[in-house]
Amino acid sequence: MGLGSWPDVSIAEARQKAAEARELVRGGEDLTEHRKAEPRRMRPISFEEAVRSCFEARKAELKSDGRAGRWMSPLSVHVLPKIGKTALEDIDQYILKNLLDPIWHNKPSVSEKALSRINLVLQHGAALGLDVDIQATQKARALLGKQRHQVKHIPSLPYAEAPAFYRFIASKNLMSCYALRFLMLTAARTSDVRFAAHR
């Protein structure tokens, strides 16, 4: 029975494994069956590798297979440059707290998205059989505390003022005004209007 190759497995570790194996044999265990019953462990991976693996697994759930990059954006900008090379199993609430502290109050939406994605990555790591703390994000949230930022909604135009506003933008010879007039007349989605191709 192989115990692992040197130098990955030290001589002392090999001796210990051999002693444990002999003890199992003395107890009447079938070592082949015992090994099959052991939970499979994946090699340690970096946080960045785990993010890529999680993204690939979730692509089908995302609009256009995630090509717009919205799912990856909070991680690419605020997370991977700082902790991308850290082993996934080493990620804990203190690392996450220090990571998100600078943006927790002044970029609440982004930090919430980042924390949500990190939680998915940790769950993905657990599903791979890695020894990760799947509660790290909740613990980090407790350390970060309540966000001070208050959401300010964009004010809407009262319905009665719409005709005057339409006349105002119709007097402007700007592409943005043409787009806004089209939007008002058709109630199309803003993204469909903004990204429409001119032919």
Side-chain angles (χ1 to χ4, degrees):
M1 183 177 90
L3 299 171
S5 59
W6 186 86
D8 294 334
V9 177
S10 68
I11 293 171
E13 192 180 348
R15 283 186 183 130
Q16 183 185 342
K17 284 183 175 182
E20 288 168 2
R22 282 196 283 280
E23 195 174 323
L24 288 169
V25 170
R26 277 195 295 274
E29 288 263 7
D30 180 342
L31 290 181
T32 310
E33 293 302 316
H34 181 78
R35 272 203 166 171
K36 283 181 189 173
E38 282 183 342
R40 289 193 175 173
R41 292 264 305 152
M42 200 182 152
R43 69 167 179 80
I45 60 173
S46 70
F47 183 78
E48 185 164 6
E49 288 175 293
V51 167
R52 305 284 174 215
S53 176
C54 180
F55 177 67
E56 286 301 317
R58 303 188 74 84
K59 265 171 124 175
E61 302 170 27
L62 305 173
K63 188 176 180 182
S64 302
D65 274 352
R67 280 190 291 273
R70 289 194 188 109
W71 195 90
M72 285 291 289
S73 179
L75 298 174
S76 300
V77 175
H78 299 285
V79 179
L80 294 179
K82 294 178 181 174
I83 64 166
K85 294 193 179 358
T86 306
L88 184 65
E89 292 177 311
D90 292 341
I91 301 294
D92 63 16
Q93 66 268 31
Y94 304 109
I95 288 174
L96 297 180
K97 194 253 185 204
N98 291 336
L99 171 76
L100 296 173
D101 227 0
I103 61 169
W104 187 247
H105 295 293
N106 61 358
K107 292 184 179 174
S109 170
V110 173
S111 56
E112 281 288 349
K113 284 176 185 168
L115 201 58
S116 168
R117 309 289 198 272
I118 291 168
N119 188 46
L120 291 172
V121 172
L122 290 171
Q123 288 176 16
H124 184 75
L128 290 172
L130 294 167
D131 184 20
V132 297
D133 182 0
I134 57 172
Q135 294 183 334
T137 53
Q138 287 100 321
K139 293 174 190 173
R141 189 183 296 279
L143 293 174
L144 288 161
K146 185 174 169 55
Q147 290 176 323
R148 285 192 292 273
H149 181 82
Q150 291 183 340
V151 176
K152 291 180 184 172
H153 297 288
I154 299 170
S156 61
L157 180 74
Y159 182 77
E161 295 176 23
F165 178 69
Y166 186 88
R167 282 192 298 277
F168 169 74
I169 60 173
S171 68
K172 307 290 180 189
N173 188 20
L174 299 168
M175 186 56 71
S176 57
C177 291
Y178 292 133
L180 190 51
R181 285 167 59 194
F182 180 80
L183 190 102
M184 289 178 74
L185 293 172
T186 62
R189 289 178 178 270
T190 55
S191 58
D192 291 343
V193 174
R194 285 185 298 121
F195 299 119
H198 181 268
R199 295 188 191 248

